Amino acid sequence: MSIPAASPSSAAHSRVVALQERIQGMQATKLSTTALPTLPALADILPGGALREGAAYSIDGSTTLVMALLAGPSQSGAWCGVVGLPNFGAEAATRFGIDLERLVLVPAPGEQWLTVTAALVDVLTVVVTRPPRKASDADVARLGARLRQRGCALIVVGEWPQSEAQLRVTSSRWSGVGRGHGLLTGREVTVSSSGRTGFARANSTRLWLPDGEQQFRSAKPQLGAVPSGAVPSGAESRSAGLHAVAG
């Protein structure tokens, strides 16, 4: 008995089924990607509670928050890279637990930022980059594919279309200033987080970035009060321990 040839519609259906199975397999791989060691204080603002291999995250301008994200992986022995942040302070990084012996710094890559970032993605565990201009959709897609292939986590200072979460410091207060003068000993901030996965809506949490012992940790509501005379934070370059006079 002869077997009739498959109709065009059935062949198309078979291709659709095969494509769906392939996509499901890719999604399963993505969902099971390894979580990187991340400071517990950051669990509430990251989908899944940690940085994940192959994922991208965007930060709105806070170098201290970038250092907090790097601290966990670096302390666990991961190699990290920072591209396009000339004000990334090595002294502050060391104080916050980032291992400089496993940190690659490229302060001023210029228009080669994407090439440099992609090269570091190939060999490092976590890469921070600040694009000097908006990346094209094609560049974002190619770098995203490279992240998934290499298992690197990308932290972008600025907007990034394919980020798992967008983080920003929405308020900031220093403690330690007394009656118009004193030493800044800690910085309490509110960090808001939104993203395409992991959050049904934008959420926020309060953190010490850092506390009086130069540690990043959660700030409970009862610890949120700042002594009278404390001043709001200014530029990121102002660090704990800096002598300040309240205006």
Side-chain angles (χ1 to χ4, degrees):
M1 182 176 64
S2 62
I3 300 176
S7 67
S9 60
S10 62
H13 176 73
S14 297
R15 287 195 295 269
V16 170
V17 171
L19 181 59
Q20 289 174 335
E21 291 175 349
R22 183 177 179 185
I23 292 173
Q24 290 172 354
M26 293 170 64
Q27 289 176 334
T29 299
K30 183 176 180 180
L31 291 174
S32 62
T33 53
T34 303
L36 298 172
T38 310
L39 295 181
L42 304 175
D44 290 342
I45 58 172
L46 293 172
L51 293 173
R52 304 193 73 86
E53 293 180 351
Y57 305 85
S58 61
I59 307 294
D60 185 8
S62 173
T63 303
T64 307
L65 184 55
V66 168
M67 290 185 180
L69 289 166
L70 285 180
S74 180
Q75 291 170 13
S76 72
W79 278 81
C80 304
V82 178
V83 180
L85 271 72
N87 294 328
F88 188 91
E91 181 179 350
T94 301
R95 188 167 64 245
F96 296 148
I98 297 172
D99 188 349
L100 297 186
E101 293 186 356
R102 291 191 297 270
L103 181 67
V104 179
L105 295 175
V106 186
E111 291 302 313
Q112 299 301 313
W113 72 271
L114 185 60
T115 300
V116 173
T117 299
L120 294 184
V121 162
D122 284 345
V123 295
L124 304 183
T125 303
V126 184
V127 174
V128 177
T129 189
R130 183 173 65 181
R133 52 180 172 75
K134 183 178 180 180
S136 68
D137 292 342
D139 288 339
V140 171
R142 281 194 293 267
L143 191 55
R146 204 158 188 162
L147 291 173
R148 293 187 291 272
Q149 181 183 22
R150 300 298 186 182
C152 175
L154 180 69
I155 300 171
V156 180
V157 181
E159 296 183 2
W160 196 253
Q162 292 187 0
S163 59
E164 295 295 315
Q166 300 88 44
L167 313 177
R168 65 188 301 262
V169 174
T170 57
S171 68
S172 174
R173 291 188 295 183
W174 286 92
S175 61
V177 178
R179 295 179 177 274
H181 62 87
L183 294 176
L184 297 175
T185 58
R187 181 189 181 206
E188 187 185 357
V189 304
T190 299
V191 179
S192 66
S193 176
S194 60
R196 58 179 183 174
T197 61
F199 300 123
R201 57 183 176 80
N203 69 328
S204 63
T205 190
R206 293 199 64 78
L207 302 173
W208 285 105
L209 289 184
D211 63 11
E213 298 179 351
Q214 303 298 289
Q215 300 296 314
F216 299 122
R217 62 178 178 85
S218 176
K220 296 180 180 180
Q222 61 267 27
L223 299 178
V226 176
S228 176
V231 296
S233 88
E236 279 290 323
S237 59
R238 296 178 62 186
S239 61
L242 180 67
H243 187 274
V245 177

